[in-house]
Amino acid sequence: MTYGSTVHDPTGSLDADIPLDRDIHRRLAAAVLDWRRSDGTAPPRADIEQVSLQLSGYAELLVRDLNAALEHLPRNPDGPTPAEQRTRITLAEAVRRLRAPATRCGDPLYRAQSRARLIDALHSALDRTRAALSDPVPGP
């Protein structure tokens, strides 16, 4: 594949084994949340839109990982646990928010900060789900 090639990968299998750069995106999200128009810390509009696109792409990957982690949770015969329900609600909200364009209309700073808050929520949900996966299964 050459630089600049477009790859159609609807199943997401080409990058499934690549680990996410969590620390980099966590720091980027924190920086975006610190930007303010009033004190001049916000960068130019084009930079904000680029960051919003970067955070949107990362959020899509987090949604995919969270879905995969939820599929590996053991089934509870009494129905989903409150933590699993909360994670599914977070996931549904993320999918809904990611349907909106990252840069088209409205204030780009508001959209970028919304994506940054979404990243934080998805990180929390993924941590909760992975912690539930690592819990030992109680024996008889």
Side-chain angles (χ1 to χ4, degrees):
M1 181 176 3
T2 61
Y3 177 75
S5 297
T6 302
V7 176
H8 180 66
D9 183 24
T11 61
S13 60
L14 292 178
D15 62 350
D17 296 333
I18 299 173
L20 299 177
D21 294 326
R22 184 178 182 142
D23 188 49
I24 293 169
H25 288 94
R26 178 179 281 154
R27 286 186 280 146
L28 179 60
V32 168
L33 291 173
D34 286 341
W35 291 343
R36 302 280 182 264
R37 286 220 190 275
S38 59
D39 62 4
T41 59
R45 180 182 182 101
D47 292 346
I48 295 171
E49 289 177 351
Q50 189 63 40
V51 167
S52 186
L53 289 171
Q54 175 73 26
L55 292 175
S56 296
Y58 181 66
E60 292 280 355
L61 293 174
L62 283 174
V63 164
R64 187 180 68 196
D65 277 7
L66 189 54
N67 267 323
L70 278 173
E71 291 302 316
H72 287 89
L73 281 178
R75 297 289 173 219
N76 187 351
D78 299 329
T81 64
E84 185 179 348
Q85 287 177 338
R86 185 173 36 170
T87 300
R88 290 192 185 280
I89 290 169
T90 301
L91 190 58
E93 177 65 14
V95 168
R96 185 191 68 78
R97 287 170 60 183
L98 287 170
R99 271 193 234 130
T103 60
R104 296 256 175 192
C105 57
D107 181 16
L109 181 59
Y110 172 76
R111 287 206 179 268
Q113 289 178 335
S114 175
R115 297 290 196 228
R117 286 187 292 273
L118 180 61
I119 295 291
D120 288 343
L122 287 170
H123 277 160
S124 296
L126 191 57
D127 290 344
R128 281 192 311 268
T129 304
R130 286 184 177 159
L133 283 172
S134 64
D135 286 345
V137 178

